Amino acid sequence: MKIKIAPGLKALALALTLSACSHGPGDEQVKIGFVVKQPEEPWFQDEWRYAEQAAKEKGFTLVKIGAPDGGQVLTTIDNLKAQHAQGFVICTPDVKLGPSIVAKAKADGLKLMTVDDRLVDGAGNPIDSVPHMGISASKIGEQVGQAIADEMKARGWKPEETGALRISYDQLPTARDRTNGAVTTLTAAGFPAANIVNAPQAKTDTENAFNAANIAITQHPNYKHWVAFGLNDEAVLGAVRAAEGRGFNADNVIGVGIGGSKSALNEFSKAQSTGFFGSMLISPRRHGYETSVNMYEWIKNDKAPPPLTLTTGKLITRANADEIRKEMGL
């Protein structure tokens, strides 16, 4: 016995079938992870803020995760897979985890892009297959060195009476390239290489920079002035605080950071000037917003990000920070 189906129901069934078939992978809700190594630092908080702006504009879900050690990174990737994410942007706490991160992302079927710190392979070479947006480390370091040299000249300081604090974190290639860039420019401008004091920090935060700088200043009591540079604003702020503890103030300290972070802006907003003279403003908007949009386009439209995007900085000081930030859309 045949069951007759009314024409109207046939049409409805056909419409539902076609509708179900039309929803392919491209119509799936896009979910993107944004993993950072130090979620408490202002720079990474700014990156997240701009990534959230991208998520709101493009309509994807953003999953913000802090992963301060290697074990957490690999667990985080599995976590993103479990949440049905399709890709993630990461600044890893250890770039040497590169091969493990790449393998884990591939096994979990997740697209991978790095920001700020670039993954390296077992030989220490950049992993070119992973799209990356970062800072031109050597170039921005050279900008720092030039800013310090220019300000020393403006103040009439004698190089032989000045010590330079290189707040170092050489196990991170980006940090090493930045500080080496500053050294290259300073020495080319006539600063004595013998007056550059290496002050290694255990971690890339203000407290560890303070400890490193405090030891270095104590061991070199012969200098009338100090200049300071490092990986980021926090490193230089630590050096400035250490110098203050040893009786050096804004008149005899020139610290130039990197990042233009909230930490730097807070320093500029103080009633009295400090030894934190300036910062090379880099755009957390590009690093947060642009990488997230690139990942979204890769997932949604199969448009891969550029293999390598490098950004530089612009000097901000107490005098021009608001103006420069406005120019950069911040």
Side-chain angles (χ1 to χ4, degrees):
M1 177 180 176
K2 290 186 177 180
I3 298 175
K4 292 184 178 181
I5 300 175
L9 291 177
K10 285 185 177 180
L12 177 59
L14 179 61
L16 290 173
T17 301
L18 290 174
S19 175
C21 292
S22 67
H23 288 279
D27 297 301
E28 184 180 358
Q29 172 65 44
V30 174
K31 183 176 287 188
I32 296 170
F34 203 115
V35 185
V36 302
K37 61 183 179 181
Q38 289 176 294
E40 73 283 358
E41 284 202 1
W43 168 259
F44 294 114
Q45 291 172 12
D46 284 343
E47 283 188 334
W48 273 350
R49 179 161 56 90
Y50 288 112
E52 287 175 331
Q53 180 182 332
K56 184 177 180 180
E57 290 181 9
K58 296 294 184 180
F60 64 84
T61 300
L62 182 74
V63 182
K64 301 182 297 182
I65 304 177
D69 64 61
Q72 285 178 288
V73 168
L74 300 181
T75 301
T76 289
I77 299 172
D78 284 338
N79 183 16
L80 287 169
K81 177 189 178 183
Q83 294 189 55
H84 304 290
Q86 299 98 336
F88 65 99
V89 179
I90 186 170
C91 179
T92 178
D94 184 356
V95 295
K96 294 178 183 177
L97 288 170
S100 297
I101 292 172
V102 171
K104 175 65 74 171
K106 184 177 181 180
D108 286 350
L110 297 170
K111 295 185 184 300
L112 166 64
M113 181 176 181
T114 54
V115 66
D116 300 332
D117 298 336
R118 196 175 188 188
L119 301 179
V120 298
D121 60 21
N125 299 314
I127 300 179
D128 294 329
S129 61
V130 178
H132 176 71
M133 176 179 283
I135 301 156
S136 178
S138 296
K139 180 64 70 176
I140 205 165
E142 291 167 6
Q143 290 179 299
V144 168
Q146 190 61 55
I148 291 173
D150 290 345
E151 184 61 17
M152 281 184 61
K153 184 177 181 180
R155 297 187 187 190
W157 287 7
K158 296 179 180 179
E160 63 270 19
E161 298 177 344
T162 305
L165 286 168
R166 176 183 180 263
I167 308 299
S168 61
Y169 193 72
D170 285 346
Q171 56 267 52
L172 181 64
T174 300
R176 184 176 63 247
D177 290 346
R178 291 183 191 184
T179 52
N180 286 348
V183 168
T184 297
T185 300
L186 276 174
T187 53
F191 194 89
N195 290 21
I196 297 174
V197 181
N198 190 50
Q201 56 183 148
K203 294 182 179 179
T204 59
D205 57 18
T206 299
E207 179 182 356
N208 282 276
F210 173 91
N211 295 335
N214 196 41
I215 293 170
I217 295 171
T218 302
Q219 292 176 340
H220 297 83
N222 51 309
Y223 295 123
K224 293 175 60 176
H225 315 289
W226 283 98
V227 301
F229 51 91
L231 165 66
N232 51 23
D233 290 330
E234 287 69 31
V236 175
L237 282 169
V240 169
R241 295 287 94 86
E244 289 171 346
R246 296 291 172 179
F248 294 91
N249 57 31
D251 293 332
N252 44 34
V253 176
I254 301 170
V256 177
I258 294 175
S261 66
K262 288 181 181 177
S263 300
L265 298 179
N266 289 341
E267 197 74 2
F268 295 151
S269 67
K270 290 183 176 180
Q272 299 295 325
S273 298
T274 73
F276 190 86
F277 172 74
S279 176
M280 285 298 162
L281 175 63
I282 48 183
S283 176
R285 185 181 191 281
R286 288 200 69 187
H287 289 232
Y289 179 91
E290 197 170 312
T291 54
S292 298
V293 170
N294 286 345
M295 179 58 72
Y296 171 81
E297 291 292 339
W298 196 7
I299 294 167
K300 186 74 173 178
N301 301 315
D302 200 28
K303 181 182 177 183
L308 180 62
T309 303
L310 296 177
T311 61
T312 55
K314 193 165 187 177
L315 179 66
I316 59 172
T317 65
R318 288 173 66 94
N320 69 2
D322 290 343
E323 177 186 349
I324 299 299
R325 282 174 56 81
K326 186 176 180 180
E327 286 179 9
M328 296 181 70
L330 300 173

